Amino acid sequence: MSTPAQSVQASPRLHSLPLVTLYLTERCNSRCVTCDYWRTGRTDMSLDSVTRLLPSLAQLRTRLVLISGGEPLIHPEWAEIAQALRAGGLQLWLLTSGLSLAKHARRVAQLFNSVTVSLDGTDRATYAAIRGLDAFDNVCAGIQACAAAGARVGVRVTVQRSNYEQLPRFVSLARELGAREVSFLAVDVANPHAFGRSDDFTSNLALRVEDLPVLEQILCVMERDLADCFQSGFIAESPRKLRQLHQYFAAVCGAATAYPPVRCNAPEFSAVIGVKGDVQPCFFISGPAGARVAGDIDSVLNSDSMLELRRSIRAGARDECTRCVCSLYREPKDLEDLLLR
């Protein structure tokens, strides 16, 4: 039987790191109900600290860097950082709220191989209720401008009680805006420490028992009426994977005994580096105390404490993995697909 996290290599040491996520800033210009970065974020990663990472990234044969935050585009040196990474031979992927995208669309298209925009409503009211700002039209304009400038733009939807009935409309809206794909992710209500949340995080964001039959019907309709979008990959998830939304929310509200099965080996080929240099094996699991990089990533990745943490993840000993909404699995032969074409 496979464990929740499976290794892509026999050695517990990491000799390569194809994918790295960099948090450029903890600050954000959204006001999302799912996140506390906008309340507490103060720190930016400096251009100098990114430059110091480049030799280690080359040594570890890193191919792709996901630029995230907070909101990366409010970092005063985001473009200079992107230029430095590109000069190091790296492909870049931007994860953004899209609030500043219309303003920077041409530069973003020049610097990033792929752009993913968070869009959690298909109308102004829903968007404002979830994201905390009346910025729906602005974000849509940014997606259109970025796509028109030649960027590979995807739309990411965090599915929750306020927007789950709009799932089919998200697909048509993404097409109208010129996006190349749309993906769906359940709102994470099982991890109190994600998204900069404080310890007293509580949530009414998840679907309730009475919502589950409605979601089931919506998923059936999508599978029937949007078969071409699944087949072409415009909807990033397969119908089977999309149905895991139902099982996840059923588990959250107690209508199911188990969360969807998780198959993930992200800590075996990727890492997350925070604005202060803190290294995590993945987005949802914090690194060991003192796991902070100044330049040499290898020594942190292969420290005794990090090796032990990855061992526990591979063994299925972490509760975060059982409840994960964002698992990522790659076979060794598929790691080339991490490159964005």
Side-chain angles (χ1 to χ4, degrees), residues 240-260:
R240 180 179 179 182
K241 186 169 184 180
L242 200 61
R243 283 187 172 277
Q244 290 184 348
L245 291 170
H246 189 281
Q247 185 176 348
Y248 172 82
F249 286 119
V252 167
C253 66
T257 58
Y259 286 85

Side-chain angles (χ1 to χ4, degrees), residues 54-113:
L54 291 174
S56 273
L57 295 177
Q59 179 186 359
L60 290 165
R61 303 190 298 279
T62 301
R63 301 183 180 117
L64 176 62
V65 176
L66 170 61
I67 300 296
S68 184
E71 171 48 48
L73 293 182
I74 66 173
H75 191 295
E77 295 181 300
W78 70 265
E80 290 82 0
I81 289 172
Q83 285 178 306
L85 292 167
R86 283 183 66 92
L90 295 157
Q91 292 204 22
L92 302 184
W93 176 11
L94 175 65
L95 181 59
T96 175
S97 68
L99 293 178
S100 304
L101 199 54
K103 176 181 177 181
H104 298 299
R106 182 172 299 181
R107 194 71 179 119
V108 165
Q110 292 170 343
L111 291 171
F112 290 90
N113 301 87

Side-chain angles (χ1 to χ4, degrees), residues 109-131:
Q110 292 170 343
L111 291 171
F112 290 90
N113 301 87
S114 186
V115 179
T116 298
V117 182
S118 298
L119 184 64
D120 293 335
T122 62
D123 54 62
R124 291 177 62 185
T126 305
Y127 181 93
I130 294 173
R131 308 291 293 191

Side-chain angles (χ1 to χ4, degrees), residues 148-224:
R152 184 182 187 275
V153 184
V155 168
R156 167 67 61 83
V157 180
T158 302
V159 181
Q160 51 204 282
R161 194 162 194 260
S162 297
N163 68 7
Y164 80 96
E165 294 182 270
Q166 299 177 359
L167 262 60
R169 173 59 184 148
F170 277 112
V171 179
S172 56
L173 177 61
R175 274 179 160 170
E176 293 165 11
L177 297 176
R180 299 197 185 182
E181 72 170 23
V182 58
S183 61
F184 298 96
L185 191 68
V187 63
D188 174 39
V189 295
N191 186 337
H193 304 295
F195 304 102
R197 295 167 180 160
S198 59
D199 288 340
D200 60 353
F201 171 79
T202 57
S203 172
N204 60 358
L205 305 175
L207 275 64
R208 302 172 184 172
V209 172
E210 61 266 29
D211 301 315
L212 297 177
V214 181
L215 176 61
E216 172 67 23
Q217 183 178 13
I218 290 169
L219 294 174
C220 289
V221 170
M222 291 179 69
E223 188 170 351
R224 182 193 68 206

Side-chain angles (χ1 to χ4, degrees), residues 25-39:
T25 180
E26 293 176 340
R27 298 181 297 122
C28 190
N29 51 359
S30 291
R31 300 290 184 268
C32 300
V33 295
T34 58
C35 176
D36 276 348
Y37 277 127
W38 62 273
R39 299 178 190 273

